[in-house]
Amino acid sequence: MIRRSFLGAVRLGQHRVLPGVPQVLPRLSPTSAFGSSADSLVSRFCPEKTDLKDYALPNASWCPDMLNLYQEFLEKTKTDGWVKLPSFKSNRDHIQGLKLPFGLAVASDKSDWRIFTRCIQEEGQGYEYVIFFHPSKKKSICLFQPGPYLEGPPGFAHGGSLAALMDETFSKTAYLAGEGLFTVSLNIRFKNLIPVGSVAILNVDVEKIEDQKLYMSCIAQSRDQQTVYAKSSGVFLQLQLEEESSQ
Amino acid sequence: MIRRSFLGAVRLGQHRVLPGVPQVLPRLSPTSAFGSSADSLVSRFCPEKTDLKDYALPNASWCPDMLNLYQEFLEKTKTDGWVKLPSFKSNRDHIQGLKLPFGLAVASDKSDWRIFTRCIQEEGQGYEYVIFFHPSKKKSICLFQPGPYLEGPPGFAHGGSLAALMDETFSKTAYLAGEGLFTVSLNIRFKNLIPVGSVAILNVDVEKIEDQKLYMSCIAQSRDQQTVYAKSSGVFLQLQLEEESSQ
């Protein structure tokens, strides 16, 4: 169970207790085991049976390119070790599979909480995306079709919408590949604008896991790989997960 | 007038024409004048009379901290050279003041286009923010109150939501301070999580303008400055604006 009290800001990337700074995460013990295998994390993350709506499924707004790519990767889930990740309305819905550390409290009020990349519920207007993850290769593919609510320059996706989806794809990959939970840094170089309604493919790789940090890279490009939209890197922090026995 | 044809991807940060790559922006002429002063850009960006809804005004969801800070900066607009920027539903609404370069076309279909950081229209659920800009100091302050649709870790704002608002604040600052139009790069270091419903203050400074690029920095922190949420830098590209005489 997640602790129910609501605590203040959570300090990242720094494990000593500073005077006057809220310290709600446990200090990391270098000897603590990050014991969960990717397979175990994936199976908790992808419940076989659930009543929750999965937003990472085709709907009427998906363009032919998006549908074709989805089918292509769905085939790979049968033969090539890829896993299609479900995407619920909030990380709270993932909590059964997505364990949080002690102290990262969940407010128990009645708000309609939504994960940012699912903040728009009208099909096709905002984020349409699905992430496929490969546990043994420690990589992800995200198919992304931005809608007209994600606009920056007229007719094109806002750079921040791509940044947010890169962060989200990094975060799910980091969690499943190595219990990475929090973004330490995100560096993006933008190359081309993504037209609203087209499809971008985000390729995410875990480059290395070192000193309780995961180092990842991402390239976002068009389906034909002729247009690179952006390249990025991200660093995520591993945090000691709450013991299952405490539930 | 913005050209009405819809063209493909816009290539950034690179001005030579590559074979096979859509090239819809004009080559930059080093001798072209980036002639508009910040004052002139600001006056076009902030129409005195408009029927458009300004989303950067207080509403019932704003917490006391947000309201107090807003009033504090509003006072500075009277005495200290600060300007409160309006925030319409889409950059298309800003187009009278926000000139786009040749070739960056605006689709003329009937879609309900929204700038990404105004994608959620329910008050208090998503982004609540207002940007104040200081033309002569070339700096901005953004007051940001994330709602429950911007969640990442349960109870806290998604790192991507802060990244997107940093990009948006950079972009408006870059445009008004030096005709910067497109994000070239965005680098963020996250330090602490922002609790949903609290207020973060983003301080953006233009560090230098060189080789048709604007280099900017941002620090996001709590009102009491005791908690740094994130630090970032951004580089924006200046582009030759369409001549007013062609309108």
Side-chain angles (χ1 to χ4, degrees):
Chain A
M1 281 299 278
I2 303 300
R3 288 169 63 191
R4 293 287 163 192
S5 61
F6 189 90
L7 299 168
V10 175
R11 188 154 193 89
L12 308 177
Q14 186 166 342
H15 310 313
R16 61 203 163 84
V17 177
L18 296 176
V21 174
Q23 181 73 20
V24 298
L25 290 177
R27 295 189 206 197
L28 287 175
S29 158
T31 60
S32 74
F34 290 111
S36 304
S37 72
D39 287 343
S40 147
L41 290 169
V42 169
S43 67
R44 283 209 302 273
F45 195 86
C46 306
E48 287 190 13
K49 290 183 180 175
T50 176
D51 293 332
L52 296 167
K53 177 175 175 178
D54 180 3
Y55 289 86
L57 289 175
N59 63 49
S61 78
W62 286 24
C63 67
D65 263 5
M66 184 81 171
L67 281 171
N68 291 342
L69 284 162
Y70 176 79
Q71 288 300 336
E72 191 180 302
F73 276 93
L74 209 58
E75 285 302 310
K76 292 185 182 178
T77 64
K78 298 172 189 164
T79 58
D80 196 26
W82 287 87
V83 178
K84 180 203 156 289
L85 301 184
S87 176
F88 305 133
K89 196 178 74 167
S90 162
N91 274 331
R92 290 156 192 258
D93 298 327
H94 282 293
I95 278 175
Q96 292 302 316
L98 183 63
K99 289 193 302 181
L100 292 177
F102 286 119
L104 189 57
V106 176
S108 58
D109 63 46
K110 303 292 184 194
S111 287
D112 177 19
W113 301 92
R114 297 185 193 172
I115 188 169
F116 179 47
T117 49
R118 297 295 179 196
C119 64
I120 300 160
Q121 295 201 302
E122 296 93 332
E123 287 180 358
Q125 295 301 95
Y127 276 107
E128 295 292 339
Y129 72 94
V130 52
I131 300 172
F132 292 88
F133 173 67
H134 199 296
S136 61
K137 292 180 180 168
K138 293 193 191 306
K139 63 186 297 168
S140 292
I141 298 281
C142 174
L143 311 178
F144 171 36
Q145 178 188 300
Y149 290 7
L150 267 54
E151 199 178 54
F156 298 92
H158 196 289
S161 74
L162 178 58
L165 191 57
M166 283 176 160
D167 184 46
E168 177 60 16
T169 309
F170 277 145
S171 92
K172 293 294 185 277
T173 307
Y175 174 70
L176 294 173
E179 299 183 18
L181 272 166
F182 292 108
T183 321
V184 174
S185 67
L186 183 64
N187 298 324
I188 308 175
R189 290 191 68 80
F190 295 91
K191 304 287 186 182
N192 286 283
L193 297 176
I194 306 175
V196 164
S198 69
V199 177
I201 304 173
L202 282 61
N203 275 270
V204 166
D205 286 283
V206 176
E207 302 291 341
K208 63 176 178 178
I209 303 176
E210 200 173 87
D211 294 336
Q212 296 174 341
K213 288 180 183 163
L214 288 101
Y215 296 81
M216 289 177 296
S217 66
C218 175
I219 179 168
Q221 52 193 343
S222 59
R223 183 181 186 178
D224 63 8
Q225 300 185 339
Q226 293 302 300
T227 307
V228 174
Y229 295 124
K231 293 181 178 180
S232 65
S233 60
V235 180
F236 276 69
L237 185 66
Q238 294 181 318
L239 288 173
Q240 192 171 21
L241 295 175
E242 189 168 15
E243 294 299 320
E244 285 189 275
S245 61
S246 70
Q247 292 182 0
Chain B
M1 282 299 278
I2 303 302
R3 290 168 61 190
R4 292 288 164 190
S5 60
F6 189 90
L7 299 167
V10 176
R11 189 154 194 89
L12 307 178
Q14 184 166 340
H15 310 313
R16 61 203 164 86
V17 178
L18 296 177
V21 173
Q23 182 72 18
V24 298
L25 289 177
R27 296 188 205 199
L28 287 176
S29 157
T31 59
S32 74
F34 291 110
S36 305
S37 72
D39 286 344
S40 147
L41 290 169
V42 168
S43 67
R44 284 209 301 274
F45 195 88
C46 306
E48 286 190 12
K49 290 184 181 176
T50 176
D51 293 332
L52 296 167
K53 176 174 176 179
D54 180 3
Y55 288 87
L57 289 175
N59 64 49
S61 78
W62 286 24
C63 68
D65 264 3
M66 184 81 171
L67 281 170
N68 291 341
L69 284 163
Y70 176 80
Q71 289 299 337
E72 191 178 303
F73 277 93
L74 209 58
E75 286 302 311
K76 293 186 182 179
T77 65
K78 298 172 190 164
T79 57
D80 195 26
W82 287 87
V83 178
K84 180 204 156 287
L85 302 184
S87 177
F88 304 133
K89 197 178 73 168
S90 161
N91 274 329
R92 290 157 191 258
D93 297 329
H94 282 292
I95 278 176
Q96 292 302 318
L98 183 61
K99 289 194 301 179
L100 291 177
F102 287 119
L104 188 58
V106 176
S108 57
D109 64 46
K110 302 294 184 195
S111 288
D112 177 18
W113 302 91
R114 297 186 194 172
I115 189 168
F116 178 48
T117 48
R118 297 295 179 195
C119 65
I120 300 159
Q121 294 201 304
E122 297 92 332
E123 287 179 358
Q125 296 300 96
Y127 276 106
E128 296 294 339
Y129 72 95
V130 53
I131 301 172
F132 292 88
F133 173 65
H134 199 295
S136 61
K137 292 181 181 169
K138 294 193 189 308
K139 63 185 296 169
S140 292
I141 297 282
C142 175
L143 310 178
F144 172 36
Q145 178 187 300
Y149 290 7
L150 267 53
E151 197 179 55
F156 298 93
H158 195 291
S161 74
L162 178 58
L165 192 58
M166 284 176 160
D167 184 46
E168 177 60 16
T169 309
F170 277 145
S171 91
K172 294 294 184 275
T173 307
Y175 175 71
L176 296 173
E179 300 183 18
L181 273 166
F182 293 109
T183 321
V184 174
S185 66
L186 185 63
N187 299 323
I188 308 173
R189 290 192 67 81
F190 295 91
K191 305 286 187 184
N192 287 283
L193 297 175
I194 305 175
V196 164
S198 69
V199 177
I201 304 173
L202 282 60
N203 276 272
V204 166
D205 285 284
V206 177
E207 301 292 340
K208 62 176 177 177
I209 303 177
E210 199 174 88
D211 295 335
Q212 295 174 343
K213 288 180 184 163
L214 287 101
Y215 297 81
M216 289 177 295
S217 67
C218 175
I219 179 169
Q221 52 193 343
S222 59
R223 183 180 186 178
D224 63 7
Q225 302 185 337
Q226 293 303 299
T227 306
V228 174
Y229 295 124
K231 293 181 178 180
S232 65
S233 60
V235 181
F236 276 68
L237 186 66
Q238 292 180 317
L239 288 172
Q240 192 171 20
L241 294 175
E242 189 168 14
E243 294 298 321
E244 284 189 276
S245 59
S246 70
Q247 292 183 359

